[in-house]
């Protein structure tokens, strides 16, 4: 038996990637009931919202599920950096006729915390996955204490070894093709980042826990390729973005299913950390990686009103159009159907 299946307790070694901002419990329920491991992203939920989503999830499926959190260190706000960021965005604010002076500063995404742990403890998640490393040792011990299997993303061999040394049960090898945030946490040097084909076999050789391949997997052939390279399972994000169970906006869906999706880039403009999305106007005009952004996740606050303004006009000029490099699997298919299609790659 695949050791990953034994760990996760699922029928398929397939994880639907947690995707904060574009999905709630509905997608996770559909994937769990189709035999995969559905995931609920917690990064953008208040403890109350988390409780509601967890109730929906646990009422919707009796199968194992995954709850995901970020574990970054909250930054100390830096007024000088914030001022530089607002200056960079000023031309967009002028065009939109918005007053940047009225925009509050704020976080946007929260790391896993004791308060979040209080909210989830009654639900005892069968699996918990983390991005940007792992929670502090006392919090991690709490999670393990209630029995969750622990996963986290590694973007380099060094990160994979670090995660194993700090107690993960399996490693998610996140290749450079992946959509959304790079899970990198030992270095912020983007030249350390490796594509899936190169990263996966090197992590498989370096660690003695199951390795889950993520990044660029969009169909059954991609699943089979990852398994041939030694993966114990796969985690797929972008391909699920157009499923009816997601909350992906109409603009975002249209971009994913257009030629525009052929050009993605890593950008820090939307949160302060590099994440992969479809290149749009703000990325072209400010450069996808700007030295002006405040530390993650503080860049979000000043970008949010611009996003809302342009989206109301039907434009994704200032929206994070998160996507991996391979959006070819994005179809408006029910998540269960997509899961079954991907699962053909395990045969
Ligand atoms: C829209 C979007 C949001 C994401 N949000 C999260 C998240 O909240 N937590 C997380 O661990 N990973 C997140 N990811 C990254 C995924 O876990 C995964 O690494 C990635 O989707 C795999 O590559 P693929 O998109 O090419 O399938 C996100 C990815 C996307 C596309």
């Amino acid at each position: 038996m695949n050791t990953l299946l034994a760990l996760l307790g699922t029928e398929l070694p397939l994880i639907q990637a947690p995707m904060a901002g574009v999905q709630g419990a509905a997608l996770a329920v559909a994937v769990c009931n189709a035999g995969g491991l559905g995931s609920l992203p917690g990064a953008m939920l208040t403890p109350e919202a988390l409780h509601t989503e967890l109730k929906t999830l646990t009422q919707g499926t009796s199968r194992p599920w995954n709850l995901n959190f970020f574990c970054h260190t909250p930054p100390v706000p830096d007024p000088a950096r914030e001022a530089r960021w607002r200056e960079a965005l000023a031309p967009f604010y002028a065009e939109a006729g918005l007053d940047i002076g009225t925009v509050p500063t704020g976080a946007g995404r929260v790391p896993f915390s004791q308060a979040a742990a209080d909210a989830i403890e009654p639900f005892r998640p069968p699996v918990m996955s983390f991005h940007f490393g792992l929670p502090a040792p006392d919090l991690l011990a709490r999670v393990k204490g209630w029995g969750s299997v622990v996963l986290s993303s590694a973007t380099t061999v060094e990160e994979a070894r670090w995660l194993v040394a700090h107690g993960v049960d399996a490693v998610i090898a996140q290749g450079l093709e992946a959509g959304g945030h790079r899970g990198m946490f030992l270095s912020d040097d983007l030249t350390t980042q490796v594509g899936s084909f190169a990263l996966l076999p090197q992590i498989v050789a370096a660690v003695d826990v199951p390795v889950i391949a993520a990044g660029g997997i969009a169909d059954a052939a991609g699943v089979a390729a990852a398994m041939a390279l030694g993966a114990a399972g796969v985690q797929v994000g972008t391909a699920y973005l157009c499923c009816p169970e997601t909350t992906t906006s109409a603009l975002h869906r249209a971009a994913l299913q257009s030629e525009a999706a052929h050009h993605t880039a890593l950008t820090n403009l939307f949160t302060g950390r590099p994440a992969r999305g479809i290149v749009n106007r703000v990325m072209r005009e400010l450069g996808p990686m700007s030295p002006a952004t405040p530390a993650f996740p503080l860049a979000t606050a000043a970008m949010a009103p611009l996003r809302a303004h342009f989206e109301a006009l039907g434009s994704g000029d200032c929206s994070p159009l998160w996507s991996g490099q391979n959006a070819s699997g994005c179809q408006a298919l029910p998540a269960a159907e997509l899961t079954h299609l991907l699962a053909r790659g395990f045969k």
Side-chain angles (χ1 to χ4, degrees):
M1 188 185 183
N2 183 318
T3 50
L4 186 65
L5 291 182
L7 258 183
L8 304 180
T10 53
E11 217 172 277
L12 300 167
L14 187 156
I15 303 174
Q16 162 253 313
M19 297 187 285
V22 295
Q23 61 139 141
L27 180 66
V29 166
V31 174
C32 289
N33 290 337
L37 187 74
S39 301
L40 178 69
M44 294 171 78
L45 299 177
T46 60
E48 297 73 40
L50 188 57
H51 189 87
T52 307
E53 290 294 318
L54 285 171
K55 264 183 116 169
T56 308
L57 178 50
T58 48
Q59 281 165 5
T61 188
S62 55
R63 312 254 181 119
W65 45 275
N66 171 40
L67 178 60
N68 169 265
F69 276 96
F70 288 170
C71 17
H72 57 284
T73 308
V76 180
D78 176 343
R81 230 169 130 181
E82 184 66 35
R84 274 208 308 280
W85 179 224
R86 287 174 181 235
E87 205 179 300
L89 293 178
F92 286 88
Y93 269 85
E95 179 183 329
L98 295 171
D99 179 5
I100 202 163
T102 62
V103 174
T105 53
R109 281 165 181 78
V110 287
F112 189 50
S113 62
Q114 294 288 1
D118 290 343
I120 67 179
E121 186 163 14
F123 296 93
R124 296 180 180 261
V127 181
M128 286 199 69
S129 74
F130 297 99
H131 218 45
F132 312 138
L134 284 170
D138 56 335
L139 255 178
L140 184 61
R142 202 172 159 192
V143 165
K144 291 193 148 210
W146 67 53
S148 296
V149 167
V150 173
L151 318 176
S152 183
S153 301
T155 67
T156 61
V157 172
E158 288 67 30
E159 287 178 350
R161 287 204 183 102
W162 187 97
L163 291 174
V164 173
H166 289 78
V168 295
D169 297 298
V171 167
I172 302 158
Q174 191 197 30
L176 188 49
E177 300 91 327
H181 285 93
R182 302 295 308 142
M184 58 203 298
F185 61 93
L186 289 182
S187 163
D188 55 11
D189 176 357
L190 284 176
T191 66
T192 62
Q193 299 297 285
V194 183
S196 291
F197 241 70
L199 181 67
L200 177 60
Q202 294 190 81
I203 290 186
V204 169
V207 300
D208 55 6
V209 299
V211 179
I212 298 150
I217 300 170
D219 54 21
V223 171
M227 300 305 278
L229 287 174
V234 298
Q235 175 162 300
V236 176
T238 298
Y240 280 100
L241 281 172
C242 292
C243 293
E245 296 90 344
T246 65
T247 56
T248 308
S249 71
L251 267 168
H252 193 174
R253 280 172 206 270
L256 285 161
Q257 293 181 313
S258 75
E259 296 278 311
H262 296 161
H263 188 191
T264 66
L266 292 180
T267 179
N268 64 354
L269 297 181
F270 299 104
T271 64
R273 256 189 196 257
R276 186 173 297 285
I278 296 170
V279 174
N280 62 357
R281 184 178 150 212
V282 73
M283 285 162 74
R284 271 192 301 271
E285 292 188 9
L286 298 186
M289 291 295 298
S290 167
T293 57
F296 178 88
L298 299 174
T300 315
M303 188 62 92
L306 292 176
R307 174 186 180 174
H309 170 83
F310 285 98
E311 285 190 0
L313 300 176
S315 154
D317 280 357
C318 289
S319 302
L321 302 171
W322 303 134
S323 172
Q325 287 181 327
N326 187 357
S328 65
C330 288
Q331 303 171 62
L333 276 182
E337 250 178 78
L338 177 59
T339 303
H340 296 316
L341 283 178
L342 291 165
R344 289 187 192 165
F346 294 121
K347 303 253 162 62

